[in-house]
Every structure is written in C-alpha cells, then in structure tokens.
Amino acid sequence: GGSSSSSSRSTRPSPAAGSQKSGRGKWAWDWWASLGSPRYVCSPMIDQSERAFRLLSRRYGVDLAYTPMIHAEPFAANSEWRQKYFDAWRPVLDDRGVNIDKPLIAQFGGDDPETMLRAAKFVEPYVSAVDINMGCPTEEARRGGLHTHSPRCRRFGAYLLDSPNLVKR
C-alpha cells in the first residue's frame, strides 16, 4: 500500500523501457515519456473531472488527468461557454512554481472535424494533449446536442464509431 512520492513517479521508466523503441510506435512512447510516463490516469468523466477533483486525485497518486468532456460546438463558438467549461486557463502553482494540474488532457465531444479543431486550438497552450470522445455510450451521445447546446452535432462518443470515414477525417 501507500502512495509513492511525486519524484519517484516522475523518474519511473515507461512500460517499454528496456525494449526496442523503434518503428511505428516510437513516437507514442516518446510522447508518453515526455509526460513523465504516467502510471495512474484519471479518465474523463462528464461533469465530474473539474479541477478540484483532479487536484484531489493527484494528491492521492494520479499522474495524468483529463478535463470533463467538453462539447466542441459551443466551446468553439462562445467565449462565455469556454470560461464556464474549461477550468485550466490559469495554472495552479505549488511552492516551487510548478503547475500541479499537469499533465492534463482536454477531452472534446462532437462530430464535426473543423469544429473540433477550432475548439482544440483554444486549449492547446494549456494542455498536454486533446482527446476525442469515442467511448461515451449515453443517450445524450447518441442524440448529440441537436436539442440542446450543439444544434449541428448529430452524435458523439461511441456513436462516432459507426462512421469510420468521419472518424478518419
């Protein structure tokens, strides 16, 4: 039991350490190593992965955290939506001046590649990566935002997997 110190987490080798790091997957292992080779990851949870929860999770050993899923269409179009639904515009610094809410991945939901890119560009300077939600199985994901906040979004999450050409774009 017990949690390890943050210094031991940051020096831990990647799962591929000692193996030949070449070929198609090398860039992925290099990127993972650039994040400190996180061992414990707190996945995105809609309306649950806000900063306070992420910081608490990190206190108990989480190395890498995600934002809650953010709807790309209103985020890309509306500055008030961006301020309300993305909480990492400013760093949370420890006594050494290190941002303790890093590494951080922002997750977006949507079905329009151009809209998703516009949304991602807003958070790019503040996160380590951007993730596209392709796993959410909820009814909201099946319906998209058609009747709520994202009138052009027809589906997101797991329901994108039925459209491989769209996913490829």
Side-chain angles (χ1 to χ4, degrees):
S3 64
S4 60
S5 71
S6 61
S7 63
S8 67
R9 284 196 314 267
S10 64
T11 59
R12 191 174 35 248
S14 71
S19 66
Q20 180 78 18
K21 287 189 188 179
S22 62
R24 292 176 37 184
K26 182 182 183 324
W27 68 269
W29 286 114
D30 290 346
W31 175 76
W32 195 251
S34 79
L35 298 179
S37 300
R39 184 172 181 186
Y40 299 106
V41 178
C42 187
S43 63
M45 298 176 286
I46 196 161
D47 297 330
Q48 299 299 315
S49 302
E50 283 82 4
R51 179 170 267 173
F53 179 77
R54 293 193 309 266
L55 294 177
L56 181 63
S57 297
R58 290 176 189 281
R59 185 180 303 162
Y60 288 96
V62 165
D63 302 305
L64 169 65
Y66 282 73
T67 66
M69 189 207 72
I70 303 167
H71 294 282
E73 186 178 330
F75 192 87
N78 185 306
S79 64
E80 288 177 18
W81 189 280
R82 287 192 292 276
Q83 292 305 312
K84 182 174 182 180
Y85 290 100
F86 182 72
D87 58 6
W89 300 112
R90 292 186 191 94
V92 177
L93 304 178
D94 67 9
D95 57 355
R96 298 168 295 153
V98 175
N99 185 352
I100 60 174
D101 196 17
K102 289 279 187 143
L104 178 66
I105 297 177
Q107 186 188 69
F108 285 99
D111 65 354
D112 178 64
E114 291 79 23
T115 301
M116 303 278 283
L117 178 60
R118 278 196 316 276
K121 291 283 189 188
F122 283 107
V123 301
E124 184 177 20
Y126 306 97
V127 298
S128 303
V130 172
D131 177 66
I132 299 172
N133 182 339
M134 290 197 197
C136 184
T138 66
E139 180 64 19
E140 180 186 0
R142 187 187 66 75
R143 286 192 327 255
L146 185 61
H147 301 292
T148 57
H149 43 70
S150 305
R152 291 187 307 277
C153 179
R154 294 165 306 286
R155 69 226 175 273
F156 61 87
Y159 300 95
L160 292 174
L161 299 177
D162 291 334
S163 305
N165 289 334
L166 176 62
V167 169
K168 201 190 258 185
R169 286 186 33 218

